[in-house]
mmCIF file of all heavy atoms in Angstrom:
data_model
loop_
_atom_site.group_PDB
_atom_site.id
_atom_site.type_symbol
_atom_site.label_atom_id
_atom_site.label_comp_id
_atom_site.label_asym_id
_atom_site.label_seq_id
_atom_site.Cartn_x
_atom_site.Cartn_y
_atom_site.Cartn_z
ATOM 1 N N LEU A 132 -23.593 76.396 78.156
ATOM 2 C CA LEU A 132 -22.637 77.462 77.848
ATOM 3 C C LEU A 132 -23.287 78.519 76.969
ATOM 4 O O LEU A 132 -24.155 78.209 76.140
ATOM 5 C CB LEU A 132 -21.420 76.892 77.108
ATOM 6 C CG LEU A 132 -20.576 75.870 77.859
ATOM 7 C CD1 LEU A 132 -19.547 75.259 76.914
ATOM 8 C CD2 LEU A 132 -19.886 76.513 79.055
ATOM 9 N N PRO A 133 -22.868 79.781 77.104
ATOM 10 C CA PRO A 133 -23.371 80.800 76.176
ATOM 11 C C PRO A 133 -22.806 80.540 74.787
ATOM 12 O O PRO A 133 -21.670 80.069 74.642
ATOM 13 C CB PRO A 133 -22.821 82.106 76.765
ATOM 14 C CG PRO A 133 -21.587 81.692 77.504
ATOM 15 C CD PRO A 133 -21.897 80.329 78.075
ATOM 16 N N ASP A 134 -23.599 80.796 73.773
ATOM 17 C CA ASP A 134 -23.076 80.675 72.418
ATOM 18 C C ASP A 134 -21.847 81.567 72.269
ATOM 19 O O ASP A 134 -21.819 82.694 72.776
ATOM 20 C CB ASP A 134 -24.129 81.097 71.390
ATOM 21 C CG ASP A 134 -25.244 80.069 71.251
ATOM 22 O OD1 ASP A 134 -25.110 78.960 71.811
ATOM 23 O OD2 ASP A 134 -26.244 80.381 70.574
ATOM 24 N N ALA A 135 -20.833 81.058 71.561
ATOM 25 C CA ALA A 135 -19.614 81.832 71.341
ATOM 26 C C ALA A 135 -19.495 82.170 69.856
ATOM 27 O O ALA A 135 -19.396 81.277 69.009
ATOM 28 C CB ALA A 135 -18.392 81.047 71.798
ATOM 29 N N TYR A 136 -19.516 83.457 69.566
ATOM 30 C CA TYR A 136 -19.356 83.949 68.199
ATOM 31 C C TYR A 136 -17.886 84.312 68.002
ATOM 32 O O TYR A 136 -17.369 85.218 68.656
ATOM 33 C CB TYR A 136 -20.247 85.161 67.962
ATOM 34 C CG TYR A 136 -21.725 84.827 67.910
ATOM 35 C CD1 TYR A 136 -22.456 84.613 69.075
ATOM 36 C CD2 TYR A 136 -22.382 84.721 66.695
ATOM 37 C CE1 TYR A 136 -23.803 84.288 69.029
ATOM 38 C CE2 TYR A 136 -23.735 84.400 66.631
ATOM 39 C CZ TYR A 136 -24.438 84.190 67.803
ATOM 40 O OH TYR A 136 -25.782 83.860 67.746
ATOM 41 N N VAL A 137 -17.218 83.599 67.096
ATOM 42 C CA VAL A 137 -15.778 83.758 66.921
ATOM 43 C C VAL A 137 -15.481 84.268 65.513
ATOM 44 O O VAL A 137 -15.711 83.574 64.518
ATOM 45 C CB VAL A 137 -15.029 82.437 67.164
ATOM 46 C CG1 VAL A 137 -13.516 82.651 67.034
ATOM 47 C CG2 VAL A 137 -15.374 81.859 68.539
ATOM 48 N N GLU A 138 -14.981 85.487 65.449
ATOM 49 C CA GLU A 138 -14.553 86.093 64.185
ATOM 50 C C GLU A 138 -13.041 85.921 64.067
ATOM 51 O O GLU A 138 -12.297 86.158 65.021
ATOM 52 C CB GLU A 138 -14.920 87.575 64.150
ATOM 53 C CG GLU A 138 -14.515 88.304 62.885
ATOM 54 C CD GLU A 138 -15.287 87.846 61.656
ATOM 55 O OE1 GLU A 138 -16.455 87.409 61.805
ATOM 56 O OE2 GLU A 138 -14.731 87.933 60.547
ATOM 57 N N VAL A 139 -12.568 85.514 62.894
ATOM 58 C CA VAL A 139 -11.154 85.211 62.688
ATOM 59 C C VAL A 139 -10.549 86.164 61.660
ATOM 60 O O VAL A 139 -11.153 86.410 60.603
ATOM 61 C CB VAL A 139 -10.963 83.760 62.205
ATOM 62 C CG1 VAL A 139 -9.475 83.445 62.019
ATOM 63 C CG2 VAL A 139 -11.612 82.780 63.167
ATOM 64 N N LYS A 140 -9.386 86.701 61.968
ATOM 65 C CA LYS A 140 -8.649 87.526 61.015
ATOM 66 C C LYS A 140 -7.244 86.958 60.835
ATOM 67 O O LYS A 140 -6.551 86.663 61.812
ATOM 68 C CB LYS A 140 -8.554 88.988 61.494
ATOM 69 C CG LYS A 140 -9.887 89.706 61.585
ATOM 70 C CD LYS A 140 -10.609 89.753 60.254
ATOM 71 C CE LYS A 140 -11.941 90.499 60.362
ATOM 72 N NZ LYS A 140 -12.756 90.386 59.129
ATOM 73 N N SER A 141 -6.847 86.805 59.584
ATOM 74 C CA SER A 141 -5.500 86.349 59.262
ATOM 75 C C SER A 141 -4.534 87.529 59.353
ATOM 76 O O SER A 141 -4.776 88.583 58.768
ATOM 77 C CB SER A 141 -5.470 85.757 57.854
ATOM 78 O OG SER A 141 -4.147 85.499 57.439
ATOM 79 N N VAL A 142 -3.447 87.346 60.085
ATOM 80 C CA VAL A 142 -2.468 88.413 60.312
ATOM 81 C C VAL A 142 -1.156 88.042 59.624
ATOM 82 O O VAL A 142 -0.574 86.993 59.919
ATOM 83 C CB VAL A 142 -2.223 88.617 61.824
ATOM 84 C CG1 VAL A 142 -1.218 89.740 62.048
ATOM 85 C CG2 VAL A 142 -3.532 88.907 62.538
ATOM 86 N N THR A 143 -0.696 88.908 58.719
ATOM 87 C CA THR A 143 0.563 88.637 58.011
ATOM 88 C C THR A 143 1.543 89.805 58.063
ATOM 89 O O THR A 143 2.690 89.658 57.655
ATOM 90 C CB THR A 143 0.300 88.302 56.530
ATOM 91 O OG1 THR A 143 -0.349 89.412 55.886
ATOM 92 C CG2 THR A 143 -0.575 87.055 56.390
ATOM 93 N N LEU A 144 1.103 90.942 58.556
ATOM 94 C CA LEU A 144 1.959 92.134 58.567
ATOM 95 C C LEU A 144 2.914 92.128 59.756
ATOM 96 O O LEU A 144 2.520 91.834 60.882
ATOM 97 C CB LEU A 144 1.092 93.397 58.620
ATOM 98 C CG LEU A 144 1.837 94.744 58.758
ATOM 99 C CD1 LEU A 144 2.711 95.008 57.531
ATOM 100 C CD2 LEU A 144 0.838 95.878 58.958
ATOM 101 N N SER A 145 4.174 92.477 59.500
ATOM 102 C CA SER A 145 5.148 92.692 60.571
ATOM 103 C C SER A 145 6.117 93.774 60.114
ATOM 104 O O SER A 145 6.895 93.570 59.185
ATOM 105 C CB SER A 145 5.908 91.411 60.908
ATOM 106 O OG SER A 145 6.847 91.658 61.948
#
Side-chain angles (χ1 to χ4, degrees):
L132 298 172
D134 287 351
Y136 290 79
V137 183
E138 180 68 29
V139 181
K140 296 301 181 188
S141 171
V142 181
T143 60
L144 175 64
S145 180

